[in-house]
Amino acid sequence: VPEPANNFLAFSEFPNLQNVNGTYEVKISTSGGTKNVYVTRLDATTVTAVSVSCTHEGTKLGTWNGTQFVCPNHGSTFTG
């Protein structure tokens, strides 16, 4: 697997990520096709990426509420 040419994310390029707890939905390519993920800024230098789909039933998760993502279908929670 080739190494990425750039392994950092410039917050200035994504207005939603310029503040802590900001979230941006992106589509990524994988060997199995494309997937949508939430990229969320956790602190001054850290982001996390979480699938937008609940692992239980595939329902789209709600956005980051500052501590977790919540499935609106059955209330499961996912932390970054």
Side-chain angles (χ1 to χ4, degrees), residues 55-78:
T55 57
H56 300 110
E57 298 181 19
T59 303
K60 185 174 181 177
L61 299 175
T63 56
W64 183 253
N65 67 13
T67 59
Q68 62 195 0
F69 295 94
V70 179
C71 175
N73 192 37
H74 64 292
S76 287
T77 59
F78 303 86

Side-chain angles (χ1 to χ4, degrees), residues 16-79:
N16 291 6
L17 298 178
Q18 290 181 5
N19 296 306
V20 173
N21 292 323
T23 299
Y24 196 81
E25 185 175 342
V26 297
K27 184 175 286 195
I28 59 170
S29 295
T30 70
S31 59
T34 59
K35 299 189 185 278
N36 287 9
V37 297
Y38 286 132
V39 176
T40 302
R41 185 170 181 178
L42 300 179
D43 60 35
T45 60
T46 308
V47 297
T48 188
V50 177
S51 172
V52 301
S53 299
C54 176
T55 57
H56 300 110
E57 298 181 19
T59 303
K60 185 174 181 177
L61 299 175
T63 56
W64 183 253
N65 67 13
T67 59
Q68 62 195 0
F69 295 94
V70 179
C71 175
N73 192 37
H74 64 292
S76 287
T77 59
F78 303 86
T79 59

